[in-house]
Amino acid sequence: MTTLFGRYMFRQAANAFLVILLTLTSVVWLATVLKELNLITSQGQGIVLFLQMTILSLPSLIALIAPNAVLMASLYTLDRMNGDSELIVMTAAGAPVWRIGAPLIVLAAMVSVGILVINLFVTPASLRELRTFITQVRADLISQVLQPGRFSSPENGLTFHIRDRAPSGELLGLLVHDERDPKQVMSYLAERGRIINNDDGSYLVMFDGYVQRLDAENADKGVQIVAFDQNMLDLSEFAPKEATDKEYRPREQYLGDLINFGPDSKYYAAYAGHVRSELHERLSTPLYPLVFIFVVIALLAHARTTRESRWGQIVTAFGIAVGLRVAGITANNLVTLNAWATPLVYLIPVGAILIAAYLAHVRMSPELRSKLSFELRLKPKNIMIWAGRGMRTT
């Protein structure tokens, strides 16, 4: 009976967890998609590339949402089962609180392992692939981003425009305006242009045009105009520095890279704290599904009468869980600044698990329901029992 009940409860909690996880992930992913729609509307990228780039953000979203989904699924499952008197029946049959909470702990452990795998392997791989897509978009800037008759700004201070595109692929009526460097503003005007790709990179070759240069430091000289028959621009110059950077950022590095991060890296001075924080965040985040489950077990796994409202316990469990997660995030931020805060990242979830487990175990003992029962227990001499000829005091 206990085994059947455990399987039944696990199915109920797992189904609720999957529904909540998919719902929350879909909502957050759609919000992310709507924010990135300019990739199609203003930069001319295809829908397939757009979906690939946005889907690569799903692993990190799932790792972020999964602990909260476990919390909400466990609250819903225990509240519903108590309302249907299922917890009352199991408690009356002699099942301890740990027999009731075991399926939830198994579910939380499975989610924790999944989050750990995502943090250590899936997220770095997806972010590296996302960097590859960004580099591809930058390298294909002219052929895909530029639309005839439209001004396109792939980044602030950089504007492209073409009048038309010839059947051969040549760009007609080309304008390139670069004001990213406020000290020197450059504008290129050309009758036609062509894209050349080779092993060294991608280049824009412009024919029959002018280049206008404004030197802000020597504004008295005015605009300098130089005519050219042929001029060539390296398209890698228009890519942001982070897109051409060969060294991966902390979020893009695997566990071994984070552990071996040392002074030989050119980013060590600027990113040492971020690497330390990223490393311990990946290892400590999987503990929070277990933290939330033990908090919920301590407050809601004990059977109560169906006439008793459990909203107070639900709100308390949710508030404690949020408080613990905020404390963990705060400790992780402190790790970025000071290495001494590293133990706090693990002490908060582990300490919460131990305290919640102790409270859940203590609450299994019977409770005194009235003052009379309390007095009877402390003063057994006042108990009146029936004797053969009447009532006497023992």
Side-chain angles (χ1 to χ4, degrees):
M1 176 178 176
T2 303
T3 302
L4 291 176
F5 176 80
R7 293 176 180 176
Y8 166 75
M9 187 172 184
F10 179 84
R11 286 196 303 269
Q12 296 295 316
N15 291 337
F17 166 74
L18 291 176
V19 171
I20 295 172
L21 179 64
L22 292 176
T23 302
L24 293 180
T25 303
S26 299
V27 171
V28 177
W29 182 75
L30 286 175
T32 304
V33 167
L34 293 176
K35 290 174 61 178
E36 299 296 335
L37 273 181
N38 65 318
L39 194 65
I40 291 180
T41 58
S42 65
Q43 298 189 15
Q45 295 300 322
I47 185 65
V48 176
L49 179 62
F50 170 74
L51 290 177
Q52 288 175 335
M53 294 182 65
T54 53
I55 288 175
L56 287 174
S57 64
L58 282 179
S60 57
L61 287 179
I62 292 175
L64 179 65
I65 295 173
N68 303 315
V70 167
L71 173 64
M72 289 184 280
S74 59
L75 291 173
Y76 165 77
T77 301
L78 289 177
D79 182 63
R80 187 193 63 78
M81 295 184 69
N82 187 81
D84 294 342
S85 300
E86 293 171 325
L87 294 185
I88 297 175
V89 171
M90 288 299 300
T91 303
V97 68
W98 296 118
R99 185 70 66 184
I100 296 173
L104 299 178
I105 296 175
V106 172
L107 175 62
M110 295 173 62
V111 174
S112 296
V113 172
I115 294 176
L116 184 63
V117 172
I118 291 175
N119 287 347
L120 298 185
F121 304 104
V122 181
T123 296
S126 63
L127 292 179
R128 292 189 179 195
E129 188 66 19
L130 181 60
R131 169 182 282 215
T132 302
F133 277 113
I134 293 175
T135 303
Q136 175 184 341
V137 170
R138 296 298 182 183
D140 205 17
L141 182 65
I142 300 298
S143 61
Q144 291 192 18
V145 172
L146 292 183
Q147 299 297 320
R150 296 181 58 184
F151 288 91
S152 301
S153 297
E155 60 180 284
N156 292 333
L158 183 62
T159 304
F160 286 90
H161 179 270
I162 58 173
R163 184 180 72 251
D164 200 359
R165 193 190 302 271
S168 61
E170 280 193 333
L171 308 174
L172 305 178
L174 178 64
L175 165 66
V176 180
H177 182 70
D178 185 6
E179 56 180 0
R180 292 176 299 172
D181 184 1
K183 296 181 180 180
Q184 183 171 281
V185 180
M186 305 287 290
S187 295
Y188 300 87
L189 299 167
E191 289 293 333
R192 53 194 178 90
R194 183 182 303 137
I195 301 297
I196 297 178
N197 297 310
N198 54 34
D199 295 337
D200 296 329
S202 299
Y203 299 90
L204 171 62
V205 181
M206 296 176 288
F207 303 94
D208 303 327
Y210 300 89
V211 56
Q212 301 177 5
R213 183 175 64 184
L214 174 62
D215 192 346
E217 295 180 351
N218 298 314
D220 297 337
K221 296 182 179 180
V223 177
Q224 300 177 6
I225 302 177
V226 179
F228 60 83
D229 295 329
Q230 179 176 319
N231 196 356
M232 183 171 64
L233 289 177
D234 186 355
L235 296 182
S236 62
E237 297 178 358
F238 300 121
K241 294 180 179 180
E242 59 269 19
T244 58
D245 200 347
K246 299 300 181 182
E247 186 161 350
Y248 292 108
R249 299 301 175 90
R251 288 285 295 171
E252 300 170 343
Q253 293 180 350
Y254 290 104
L255 181 63
D257 301 326
L258 296 175
I259 294 175
N260 298 323
F261 185 80
D264 56 334
S265 173
K266 64 179 181 179
Y267 288 118
Y268 183 78
Y271 289 101
H274 294 281
V275 170
R276 182 171 59 244
S277 174
E278 179 68 23
L279 171 63
H280 295 292
E281 181 182 8
R282 292 188 191 182
L283 297 178
S284 62
T285 301
L287 294 174
Y288 282 92
L290 291 170
V291 172
F292 295 164
I293 284 297
F294 275 93
V295 169
V296 171
I297 290 174
L299 293 175
L300 279 88
H302 300 275
R304 292 289 184 270
T305 174
T306 54
R307 296 182 179 179
E308 181 180 352
S309 176
R310 310 199 85 186
W311 278 106
Q313 295 172 321
I314 293 175
V315 173
T316 301
F318 190 83
I320 292 175
V322 172
L324 290 172
R325 191 67 189 100
V326 171
I329 294 174
T330 303
N332 193 260
N333 292 334
L334 290 176
V335 171
T336 305
L337 303 176
N338 299 286
W340 61 262
T342 301
L344 291 177
V345 176
Y346 302 96
L347 286 176
I348 291 174
V350 173
I353 291 174
L354 295 177
I355 293 175
Y358 173 77
L359 293 177
H361 187 76
V362 168
R363 292 187 64 192
M364 287 193 301
S365 59
E367 298 181 3
L368 301 176
R369 292 296 181 181
S370 65
K371 182 177 179 180
L372 177 62
S373 62
F374 181 73
E375 292 178 351
L376 292 179
R377 186 171 180 176
L378 293 181
K379 301 177 181 179
K381 293 182 179 181
N382 294 336
I383 299 177
M384 310 297 292
I385 63 174
W386 290 97
R389 295 185 178 181
M391 188 169 59
R392 63 184 178 87
T393 304
T394 58

